[in-house]
Amino acid sequence: MSLTGKHIIVGITGGIAAYKTATLVRLLVKSGAEVQVVMTPNAKEFICPVTLSTLSGKPVISEFFTANTGQWHSHVDLGLWADAMVIAPATASTIGKMANGIADNMLVTTYLSAKAPVFVAPAMDLDMMAHPSTTRNIALLRSYGNHIIEPAEGELASHLIGKGRMEEPENIVKVLDDFFKAGKPLAGKQVMVTAGPTYERIDPVRFIGNYSTGKMGYAIADEAARLGAKVVLISGPVAIKPTMPEVEVIEVESALEMYEQCQRHFGDSDIAIMSAAVADYAPAEVADKKIKREKEEIPQIRLVKNPDIAASLGKIKRPGQILVGFALETNDEEVNALDKLKRKNLDMIVMNSLRDAGAGFGTDTNKITLYSKDGQARKYPLKSKKETASDILDNIVGMVADKD
């Protein structure tokens, strides 16, 4: 199975379905996974930690430190260790805490520190499951990128019949196994991503730039790494970092520096995604000292064109390589995007418009249309940039499959 050698955190919360989790732990270990159980204090009222420790082969973690020795249990280290985290059963209380960042126990702090995919298997009575607060919190968790393993319908602990039964352990293991089997379609591929703005110096303290924060490009780099690719992220000046430790970041400042790094790494790349907001122009001369405003004459800044990075790569693109560009437009969006697609020899272009609320620079959301050179257009509604990155990579994965 694909779970062999995987590090799985199994989180258990205080619900009657906790008895099923013993079977889940046993099946995961039997599948070759290394399992670390993390329990909420209330979960220990439903299933004994000794049982779970025996099945997993590891001491169960429930508190932030061991009372008799003072040994600290680092939720950060656990989050880095895990290849996946599955919370089964997930009660309404824990789901609410996860959705709203209430880190008052070891399980939720571990969840907030986890860099790996998280799977949530809700279990509760049917009225709790249907309550607006629960549906809202589950929707929030899904929007964060968590995988929700929907509960089944049947007889519940209250003896009522309805939706709320935790999915069976065998099916949860299958969800994880399928995820790891299908979750690395870019394994063995190298992806080059550009992100953020470029700064074109006027003098030592001033520059020409734009409002790009790099959020879209960094989300794309993280998603490509999650899909198994080796990722080189060429980034202009930003205040964020990738969440996936596998992403190699090369920091640049100017368009010329970004151009040079792209030329250096494009040849080794199977896919290049040009999401950076590169300045079209740069000052022809850069003052070596700060320009003083007290001078009588207002300085005139003469501009020169920066290299068109995407177009330069389109000229040297070899058969089989995939080159993706971005078009942030303010008018005639489709016409301009299709023109760039053809003129720069791109395989696909991502178009967004500043006329759409929530799209563009500085936001956590985006609204895109994808145009491919085969004439297809795919429009997506406003989504988080993480979800948008997933949509972009889904299309690229399809292109890779077609070329392979």
Side-chain angles (χ1 to χ4, degrees):
M1 296 183 73
S2 64
L3 296 176
T4 301
K6 298 297 184 187
H7 296 166
I8 311 292
I9 296 173
V10 174
I12 309 176
T13 69
I16 187 61
Y19 79 90
K20 292 184 178 181
T21 312
T23 301
L24 174 62
V25 171
R26 182 179 63 82
L27 291 173
L28 288 171
V29 171
K30 188 176 179 180
S31 299
E34 189 175 342
V35 176
Q36 175 62 65
V37 175
V38 179
M39 304 177 72
T40 64
N42 284 340
K44 292 186 286 187
E45 301 294 329
F46 293 88
I47 186 168
C48 176
V50 173
T51 300
L52 297 161
S53 176
T54 301
L55 292 170
S56 67
K58 289 179 176 290
V60 169
I61 296 174
S62 180
E63 309 295 341
F64 290 104
F65 59 91
T66 304
N68 58 341
T69 65
Q71 180 185 0
W72 175 255
H73 301 136
S74 172
H75 55 278
V76 175
D77 289 345
L78 275 175
L80 293 172
W81 172 83
D83 294 303
M85 181 177 188
V86 56
I87 301 168
T91 60
S93 175
T94 293
I95 288 171
K97 290 178 180 181
M98 292 166 62
N100 294 282
I102 302 173
D104 65 349
N105 61 48
M106 188 66 187
L107 191 152
V108 179
T109 55
T110 300
Y111 159 73
L112 292 174
S113 299
K115 295 184 180 297
V118 177
F119 298 80
V120 182
M124 63 196 76
D125 207 60
L126 75 165
D127 293 321
M128 296 176 71
M129 188 71 206
H131 195 277
S133 64
T134 305
T135 57
R136 180 202 64 190
N137 288 332
I138 289 175
L140 273 174
L141 289 183
R142 187 177 278 113
S143 74
Y144 300 158
N146 297 290
H147 304 265
I148 307 301
I149 303 174
E150 291 290 340
E153 294 193 15
E155 185 177 0
L156 306 172
S158 63
H159 303 298
L160 297 174
I161 306 296
K163 184 176 181 178
R165 288 175 58 90
M166 187 184 95
E167 185 56 274
E168 296 303 317
E170 293 81 2
N171 292 334
I172 294 175
V173 172
K174 185 177 185 305
V175 168
L176 291 169
D177 188 41
D178 289 346
F179 173 82
F180 283 111
K181 281 180 179 175
K184 303 292 183 183
L186 294 181
K189 303 294 185 183
Q190 178 160 316
V191 177
M192 182 182 80
V193 181
T194 65
T198 63
Y199 290 173
E200 313 302 327
R201 292 192 179 196
I202 298 171
D203 63 19
V205 298
R206 301 181 181 91
F207 60 86
I208 296 171
N210 55 61
Y211 296 114
S212 175
T213 60
K215 291 179 180 179
M216 190 70 255
Y218 275 66
I220 289 170
D222 282 331
E223 180 66 8
R226 189 188 69 77
L227 295 176
K230 177 184 177 182
V231 181
V232 175
L233 174 60
I234 303 171
S235 174
V238 297
I240 57 176
K241 295 183 181 298
T243 61
M244 296 292 287
E246 298 87 351
V247 176
E248 177 189 355
V249 180
I250 298 174
E251 296 179 348
V252 299
E253 181 179 273
S254 68
L256 187 57
E257 290 174 351
M258 185 171 285
Y259 169 81
E260 291 170 349
Q261 289 297 331
C262 287
Q263 292 289 325
R264 180 176 299 174
H265 292 280
F266 183 63
D268 295 328
S269 300
D270 301 288
I271 302 160
I273 307 171
M274 315 306 290
S275 63
V278 182
D280 293 322
Y281 301 96
E285 296 87 23
V286 179
D288 57 358
K289 296 180 181 178
K290 180 181 176 181
I291 300 171
K292 296 291 187 179
R293 65 177 296 170
E294 289 78 8
K295 291 185 177 181
E296 292 185 5
E297 294 184 2
I298 299 175
Q300 302 296 311
I301 300 174
R302 184 171 65 89
L303 300 178
V304 294
K305 281 187 176 182
N306 276 324
D308 187 327
I309 300 175
S312 71
L313 300 181
K315 292 177 181 178
I316 62 173
K317 183 178 66 170
R318 66 177 184 271
Q321 273 186 308
I322 294 173
L323 181 60
V324 178
F326 270 66
L328 176 60
E329 303 295 340
T330 59
N331 60 281
D332 300 323
E333 289 87 349
E334 182 172 350
V335 171
N336 289 329
L338 291 174
D339 174 64
K340 289 182 180 179
L341 176 71
K342 182 178 180 180
R343 179 164 42 85
K344 300 187 181 187
N345 192 26
L346 305 175
D347 296 283
M348 185 173 76
I349 194 162
V350 183
M351 189 278 291
N352 55 351
S353 173
L354 285 179
R355 293 196 289 181
D356 290 325
F361 293 146
T363 66
D364 292 320
T365 54
N366 209 349
K367 183 179 179 181
I368 64 168
T369 301
L370 302 181
Y371 296 99
S372 53
K373 67 179 182 181
D374 62 6
Q376 293 190 46
R378 298 179 178 88
K379 294 186 177 183
Y380 295 86
L382 187 71
K383 296 184 179 185
S384 71
K385 286 187 173 175
K386 183 174 182 179
E387 291 174 302
T388 301
S390 180
D391 290 334
I392 293 168
L393 266 299
D394 281 348
N395 281 269
I396 292 173
V397 166
M399 296 164 68
V400 170
D402 291 341
K403 289 181 181 291
D404 290 348

